Amino acid sequence: MKKSRTNKMRRREVVTAYLMMAPDLILILVFLIAPIVYAIYLSFFDWSGLGAKRFVAMQNYKNIWKDSMFLSSLKTTGIYTVWVVILLVILSLFLALLISSCAKIVQGVFRTCIFMPYAISAVVAGLMWAFIYDQKRGYLNRLLYSLGMQKQGFISDSGQALYCIIPIALWLSVGYNAALFIVALKEVPSMYYEAAELDGASTLKKFWYITLPSIKNTTLFVTIVTTIGALQVFELIQVMTNGGPGQSTKVAVLHIYQQAFVQYKFGYASAMAVVLLIVIMIVTLIQFKVMGADNEGAEK
Amino acid sequence: MKKIKKRSISFVLTLVMLFSMCSAVAVSAEEPVEITLWTFHSFDETTEPDSLGGFWKNVGEEYVAATGANVKVTVESIPNPGYMDEKLPTAFATGSGPDVFLMCPPIMMQYVQSDLLVPLNDYYTDEMKEDFYVNVVDGYTVDGNIYSFPFNMGMEVLFVNMDALEEAGQEVPTNWEELRTVAAALTTEERWGLVTNVDNNTNMPMCFSPFVWMQGDFFTEDRRGSMMNSEAVTDALQLWRDLITDGSMPVKVPASGYDIETMLNGGAAMMVSGIWNIPSIIADESGMNIEIFPLPAPEGGKPASCTGGWSLAVADNGDPAKIQACIDFAKWLSFDNSEAAYKASTYEGLLPVRNSISERAQEEYFVGEHWDMVFSQGIIESSIPELRCPPAVNEIIRNMVVNCLADTSRPVEEFAAEADEQLKLFLETYDGEL
């Protein structure tokens, strides 16, 4: 009798839990899962988006490996991602350490200053920086010229363009990531440092053996989120260079977008999107394996 | 008694139902046909009626007032560039596309290939065919079918800052060699000698094509074969590349764009762009002396420009009543009502596409030296409709140009040969007109 009542109560609890989660689950299903499933479905069709769909089985996937533009865009995305992830993690952590070591009174000011660019949309930032980088009349070139230096092509130079976009991506998101690190640093128990000091540990050793392991989960989170974001970079590049000069800044998502909305190859673009999704999943899994998330929570 | 009561109630109810059904039928017979028009011109509650936005905002009501048609036209404004590249295809893909919409030649082919447009040949009367400029209607014709009613057109010209030209002691360039020399002479630390659309976008071929057409074409005469590897293409590529390697022209459009604002703010001394910029020149108060000239042609070549413009296309949505209502409306705007057709061109700073309106427009709207320069120098006569090939072909041309301009280490012939190969590969599975 008692057992059946307990079971009933548990069932009720489960139902209640699912009901409470339902709004979120429905949203996730409609706006996340359904589009992914539909993209996978579309990837097996030849479809201009306008007429009837024609089933082509794996043809779109076979075509991807012959599409030198997509492969080159993947390479460009890879270069962009490596630079952005490495620099962003280092820079965010450095700024977080710097701010954490400041007097409390100025910490808020610095935090606000570095967080502000995060509130700017990538489109607005891209337009603004396109003016700053302008080859003839941009502020940067005017500065170089006034210093007696030669004007640069910046985003008008196929060799420089990608490396001019990377600092903008860093500028936009360093504040957010630094804020995450600041919170993680605050969670590190001060007694660890006190004990290390008693043992005569240097600052570098304290950082290496106490700080870094203690904020491992945050580092992993920042790395993964930044990697995914970098692999999906689009607005900044579309606004600043639209993939040019030539194809020098054509990243994978821009290429997929152009295939879908300029070339009207929705089936093929979906196949490329699926490939990119798999690439992102593989990279994320590798990062999890290599960096090894501490499920019990290192930041106790 | 009860039975009688029940029966009478059911009888009354039946009568009520019958009456309501009859009245519903009567109402539906009077209900207007609802059609949706999509335009990229912006408007809101504050938009003045005597403006471009105001014209499009009220065009449906004007149509109903003028014709008494039993139609309700809902006008939706979808800002550009999202209008062409995102909103239209996604709307049609999801079955929520407009019934009638603004269309230009570069985006036409994908709708034609998908059988989404209604051929309008039957509605082009002899009177219309005589009145429309032939080459404009040609731009909307595929395999003998006309797919829209055009209402305005513009062409590419050379804008020159005459003050800068005089300062540099140069003359207006009339051929390619002079174009290079003058562009170089006008280039300073703060100003490009020449700016045009060199970015990888759908409209870029509009600026590049005239330079090819001066000596040949991208395609064979029957528009079914490739001429990408011809001298006409390689010479045009070489000219643009030379202008870039001379340092006179940017490889990427300046941040301020390739419209006349870049010239007016001193960022360019010459510009290859469209006549739609003329109202901005006239409205400018800086006093900059900008004049308009035909695009310089190479020695032995012929003058050429590119005609672009807008038209109304009718979507084949399978509803005959709607389709007919759309055709009537589009024809009214483009042809039946000269006032509407006049406004649809002049409000946008573009030329009418009909002889009968052109004269009035020249007398009333296209007044002043800038417009005189357009009408007096054979620019209109030398214009060819802009490319309206399939998107894949447009991409081949765009990639050829941008890749050639960005990578100066390889000869231009290699880029033309690559494009030729790609086009031939495309033509193996494509059986239509280019």
Side-chain angles (χ1 to χ4, degrees):
Chain A
M1 185 72 182
K2 201 178 174 186
K3 202 178 176 186
S4 77
R5 194 181 291 168
T6 319
N7 280 345
K8 218 175 185 183
M9 273 178 70
R10 186 170 290 170
R11 218 176 299 139
R12 262 191 206 160
E13 267 179 17
V14 170
V15 171
T16 313
Y18 275 111
L19 276 175
M20 290 179 86
M21 284 193 297
D24 276 351
L25 285 176
I26 290 168
L27 287 177
I28 288 170
L29 198 73
V30 172
F31 293 108
L32 204 74
I33 311 292
I36 292 173
V37 172
Y38 189 59
I40 294 169
Y41 163 77
L42 271 187
S43 69
F44 299 109
F45 289 87
D46 177 16
W47 188 43
S48 68
L50 301 172
K53 298 182 192 80
R54 191 169 62 90
F55 183 70
V56 292
M58 297 298 287
Q59 195 54 49
N60 284 331
Y61 289 96
K62 285 180 193 162
N63 290 347
I64 286 175
W65 309 114
K66 295 180 214 155
D67 183 350
S68 58
M69 203 80 90
F70 181 62
L71 299 177
S72 130
S73 76
L74 274 183
K75 187 180 157 197
T76 308
T77 311
I79 296 169
Y80 174 87
T81 304
V82 168
W83 279 108
V84 167
V85 172
I86 293 173
L87 292 175
L88 195 66
V89 172
I90 294 173
L91 203 63
S92 306
L93 185 55
F94 174 74
L95 282 172
L97 288 166
L98 203 68
I99 291 169
S100 300
S101 64
C102 287
K104 273 199 176 162
I105 218 160
V106 289
Q107 273 189 16
V109 179
F110 284 142
R111 264 206 311 262
T112 312
C113 286
I114 61 159
F115 196 78
M116 265 201 303
Y118 186 68
I120 301 171
S121 90
V123 174
V124 175
L127 284 171
M128 191 174 79
W129 278 94
F131 274 96
I132 293 170
Y133 278 138
D134 191 77
Q135 201 176 347
K136 276 279 180 209
R137 319 185 96 201
Y139 297 115
L140 265 180
N141 265 327
R142 282 185 172 169
L143 182 72
L144 290 180
Y145 189 68
S146 66
L147 294 172
M149 294 160 82
Q150 206 183 346
K151 284 187 173 180
Q152 297 296 310
F154 295 122
I155 52 172
S156 301
D157 183 317
S158 52
Q160 297 177 7
L162 190 67
Y163 300 98
C164 289
I165 294 168
I166 289 168
I168 318 305
L170 298 178
W171 173 73
L172 277 172
S173 43
V174 74
Y176 173 73
N177 292 306
L180 291 176
F181 277 123
I182 290 170
V183 174
L185 289 172
K186 275 189 181 162
E187 296 293 312
V188 183
S190 56
M191 61 182 174
Y192 290 177
Y193 294 109
E194 287 159 13
E197 263 166 41
L198 284 175
D199 290 341
S202 66
T203 311
L204 197 67
K205 278 193 171 167
K206 277 191 275 180
F207 172 74
W208 194 255
Y209 292 109
I210 299 171
T211 311
L212 267 188
S214 302
I215 59 167
K216 194 168 125 188
N217 279 358
T218 304
T219 312
L220 180 67
F221 175 77
V222 167
T223 310
I224 288 172
V225 170
T226 307
T227 307
I228 293 171
L231 287 169
Q232 293 176 335
V233 63
F234 173 68
E235 304 107 306
L236 204 55
I237 286 181
Q238 198 205 19
V239 170
M240 290 182 78
T241 61
N242 197 26
Q247 314 294 334
S248 59
T249 57
K250 188 174 265 187
V251 285
V253 178
L254 183 66
H255 184 63
I256 293 169
Y257 167 83
Q258 288 176 344
Q259 290 301 308
F261 293 102
V262 183
Q263 297 302 310
Y264 298 88
K265 295 177 186 168
F266 281 87
Y268 182 52
S270 298
M272 286 192 286
V274 172
V275 169
L276 186 65
L277 176 76
I278 293 166
V279 169
I280 291 173
M281 282 169 69
I282 293 171
V283 171
T284 310
L285 280 174
I286 292 172
Q287 282 176 336
F288 260 113
K289 280 270 176 213
V290 171
M291 297 178 76
D294 183 353
N295 289 332
E296 286 167 23
E299 293 145 37
K300 285 179 208 167
Chain B
M1 187 66 186
K2 250 187 181 177
K3 259 188 183 175
I4 293 169
K5 210 173 182 182
K6 266 187 183 172
R7 272 183 196 163
S8 42
I9 289 171
S10 58
F11 179 70
V12 170
L13 278 174
T14 315
L15 272 180
V16 169
M17 273 175 69
L18 276 171
F19 270 119
S20 59
M21 277 170 75
C22 288
S23 60
V25 170
V27 168
S28 70
E30 283 169 15
E31 266 178 12
V33 179
E34 292 191 19
I35 60 172
T36 310
L37 161 70
W38 275 21
T39 174
F40 56 87
H41 299 296
S42 309
F43 54 78
D44 56 30
E45 315 80 58
T46 59
T47 309
E48 294 290 327
D50 290 332
S51 64
L52 181 60
F55 169 76
W56 286 104
K57 181 184 163 192
N58 301 320
V59 71
E61 285 167 20
E62 271 189 36
Y63 169 61
V64 174
T67 62
N70 191 23
V71 174
K72 187 184 174 213
V73 186
T74 306
V75 186
E76 287 181 23
S77 167
I78 318 284
N80 233 343
Y83 172 77
M84 290 200 300
D85 288 345
E86 287 160 20
K87 295 290 182 182
L88 272 178
T90 43
F92 279 116
T94 53
S96 55
D99 302 308
V100 54
F101 61 101
L102 265 67
M103 185 180 76
C104 62
I107 64 164
M108 183 176 76
M109 214 55 158
Q110 56 266 25
Y111 297 102
V112 172
Q113 285 172 349
S114 306
D115 296 325
L116 272 171
L117 300 185
V118 178
L120 303 165
N121 299 38
D122 293 346
Y123 301 91
Y124 270 82
T125 59
D126 290 341
E127 185 197 355
M128 285 169 80
K129 282 177 187 165
E130 273 172 32
D131 198 12
F132 277 115
Y133 295 137
V134 175
N135 69 354
V136 174
V137 179
D138 281 352
Y140 294 101
T141 307
V142 182
D143 292 323
N145 288 321
I146 309 169
Y147 283 99
S148 69
F149 290 115
F151 54 81
N152 65 26
M153 66 175 188
M155 52 277 308
E156 298 293 303
V157 293
L158 181 71
F159 293 95
V160 180
N161 178 343
M162 299 306 284
D163 301 329
L165 197 75
E166 199 183 320
E167 226 171 77
Q170 297 289 324
E171 297 286 321
V172 175
T174 55
N175 58 45
W176 286 6
E177 211 174 299
E178 288 174 13
L179 183 66
R180 276 185 71 185
T181 313
V182 175
L186 295 178
T187 302
T188 66
E189 280 301 330
E190 289 285 305
R191 185 180 69 199
W192 293 105
L194 178 72
V195 166
T196 188
N197 184 4
V198 286
D199 282 356
N200 198 346
N201 54 46
T202 315
N203 292 322
M204 184 262 266
M206 192 175 177
C207 292
F208 182 70
S209 308
F211 292 94
V212 173
W213 291 335
M214 287 167 185
Q215 299 188 103
D217 205 338
F218 298 102
F219 317 122
T220 53
E221 214 168 311
D222 62 357
R223 297 183 72 91
R224 285 172 193 276
S226 171
M227 293 281 283
M228 286 290 188
N229 212 2
S230 64
E231 252 181 50
V233 175
T234 53
D235 284 358
L237 283 174
Q238 191 65 55
L239 171 72
W240 276 34
R241 181 188 269 186
D242 288 342
L243 285 161
I244 285 166
T245 49
D246 290 346
S248 317
M249 187 166 94
V251 72
K252 180 189 176 304
V253 169
S256 50
Y258 79 101
D259 60 16
I260 210 69
E261 285 308 315
T262 297
M263 262 187 102
L264 292 171
N265 69 29
M270 295 191 289
M271 184 171 277
V272 173
S273 192
I275 59 162
W276 51 86
N277 288 302
I278 295 176
S280 301
I281 299 173
I282 295 169
D284 177 59
E285 290 172 354
S286 70
M288 187 180 279
N289 182 14
I290 295 176
E291 291 192 8
I292 293 153
F293 301 93
L295 302 179
E299 294 289 350
K302 59 176 187 201
S305 181
C306 183
T307 315
W310 292 96
S311 67
L312 280 172
V314 176
D316 189 354
N317 53 26
D319 182 339
K322 269 194 178 189
I323 291 173
Q324 191 57 54
C326 290
I327 292 171
D328 292 343
F329 167 73
K331 186 166 166 277
W332 172 83
L333 192 147
S334 169
F335 191 80
D336 295 341
N337 188 303
S338 297
E339 187 63 24
Y342 176 81
K343 285 179 180 172
S345 55
T346 53
Y347 278 155
E348 204 168 346
L350 291 171
L351 304 180
V353 289
R354 289 163 47 196
N355 291 302
S356 57
I357 307 177
S358 196
E359 208 170 296
R360 178 188 162 197
Q362 279 188 61
E363 278 170 15
E364 292 178 18
Y365 182 83
F366 298 107
V367 179
E369 54 174 357
H370 292 100
W371 291 113
D372 289 344
M373 293 169 199
V374 174
F375 288 107
S376 65
Q377 300 185 84
I379 294 168
I380 299 170
E381 292 75 10
S382 67
S383 291
I384 296 169
E386 70 181 307
L387 294 173
R388 46 120 181 86
C389 46
V393 178
N394 188 295
E395 190 192 31
I396 291 171
I397 296 171
R398 286 187 284 123
N399 281 342
M400 172 184 72
V401 177
V402 297
N403 291 343
C404 173
L405 300 184
D407 181 4
T408 51
S409 65
R410 293 164 60 202
V412 294
E413 286 77 12
E414 280 187 23
F415 295 96
E418 277 170 16
D420 186 59
E421 212 172 287
Q422 288 163 8
L423 184 56
K424 283 175 177 160
L425 198 67
F426 171 79
L427 289 170
E428 281 177 14
T429 53
Y430 179 75
D431 188 31
E433 245 183 52
L434 289 168

